[in-house]
Amino acid sequence: NAGVTQTPKFRILKIGQSMTLQCTQDMNHNYMYWYRQDPGMGLKLIYYSVGAGITDKGEVPNGYNVSRSTTEDFPLRLELAAPSQTSVYFCASSYPQDNQPQHFGDGTRLSIL
Amino acid sequence: DAKTTQPNSMESNEEEPVHLPCNHSTISGTDYIHWYRQLPSQGPEYVIHGLTSNVNNRMASLAIAEDRKSSTLILHRATLRDAAVYYCILRKYGGSQGNLIFGKGTKLSVKP
């Protein structure tokens, strides 16, 4: 099984550019999440989804948008890239039960210059 | 959300046991204790979780204090591959989001 797959692995953007970070999972998980991790810090939740067509904001949603048209895919959109969005982005998925673990992708390392 | 407190860093020798502590004095009765680890340049990886009783799996053991205000992740024989940041996380049963709230974790170094 591929698990959670994120693309691209690395990207450099100029200020004001836009891009979409892709995330797909093959485990038929209902719940999907986007986190960001700044250097030396833990992960912070950006957006999450409890199923296709349903998304909601997390702790740090400003500057980002998401959509969930299928169970498998949960893309994260940056509309106007800013230096503060330089970070490592992780996508995760899980079953809805509280005792089920989250499965993470390997991350996208994004630099805004 | 209840908070957890972990040491910033710990060191271990290869093939020796490692005990990683976590304090969670404000834990509620519906909080599960989860442990994840993050290897360098990778996403977090689930290690183990428990509610009240001690738990064992192929990766580690979780010892939970009787009052549930602290817990200890036990790696029975540390290997170089176990060098990672270990996160102790409380996850509320019945939470609508299901997301994990990460602190800074404990950075474990393993010496050969």
Side-chain angles (χ1 to χ4, degrees):
Chain A
N1 279 343
V4 178
T5 303
Q6 293 184 238
T7 56
K9 295 190 184 304
F10 305 93
R11 184 73 184 267
I12 297 174
L13 283 182
K14 294 183 179 178
I15 295 171
Q17 287 185 319
S18 61
M19 78 164 292
T20 299
L21 282 64
Q22 301 292 345
C23 175
T24 187
Q25 53 93 7
D26 62 359
M27 296 171 283
N28 202 31
H29 286 162
N30 301 83
Y31 284 24
M32 294 188 74
Y33 312 85
W34 274 105
Y35 296 88
R36 63 175 285 176
Q37 185 175 34
D38 297 329
M41 306 297 286
L43 283 69
K44 293 186 177 181
L45 184 68
I46 305 172
Y47 270 95
Y48 69 99
S49 169
V50 299
I54 305 170
T55 63
D56 209 344
K57 296 178 181 178
E59 182 183 359
V60 290
N62 290 344
Y64 307 95
N65 281 300
V66 293
S67 60
R68 184 95 182 271
S69 57
T70 66
T71 299
E72 295 78 17
D73 300 307
F74 190 40
L76 177 71
R77 178 85 177 162
L78 281 72
E79 291 293 350
L80 290 171
S84 61
Q85 294 178 304
T86 294
S87 191
V88 182
Y89 292 84
F90 292 101
C91 179
S93 70
S94 73
Y95 290 115
Q97 292 82 5
D98 298 290
N99 60 352
Q100 294 297 312
Q102 289 190 11
H103 299 260
F104 287 81
D106 285 334
T108 294
R109 284 151 184 79
L110 182 61
S111 295
I112 316 295
L113 304 177
Chain B
D1 292 308
K3 288 186 64 175
T4 63
T5 303
Q6 299 176 254
N8 289 332
S9 62
M10 292 183 64
E11 275 191 356
S12 172
N13 294 317
E14 196 176 10
E15 298 190 3
E16 291 186 354
V18 181
H19 291 236
L20 295 162
C22 181
N23 287 319
H24 28 78
S25 58
T26 58
I27 191 171
S28 74
T30 55
D31 286 334
Y32 281 92
I33 302 161
H34 286 246
W35 284 83
Y36 283 73
R37 72 179 185 180
Q38 187 173 20
L39 302 172
S41 300
Q42 293 188 24
E45 173 188 30
Y46 167 79
V47 178
I48 200 167
H49 78 276
L51 185 61
T52 57
S53 303
N54 294 344
V55 185
N56 300 298
N57 67 20
R58 63 174 180 82
M59 291 181 70
S61 296
L62 177 60
I64 301 173
E66 196 168 335
D67 62 6
R68 300 210 324 129
K69 293 185 177 182
S70 65
S71 60
T72 302
L73 179 70
I74 302 166
L75 308 178
H76 295 287
R77 287 178 73 241
T79 68
L80 297 178
R81 193 190 176 278
D82 290 323
V85 178
Y86 287 78
Y87 297 98
C88 170
I89 299 168
L90 300 183
R91 191 172 184 189
K92 186 167 293 295
Y93 178 80
S96 60
Q97 293 180 213
N99 62 294
L100 302 170
I101 299 176
F102 288 82
K104 292 187 178 181
T106 296
K107 185 175 183 178
L108 176 66
S109 302
V110 180
K111 296 184 289 184

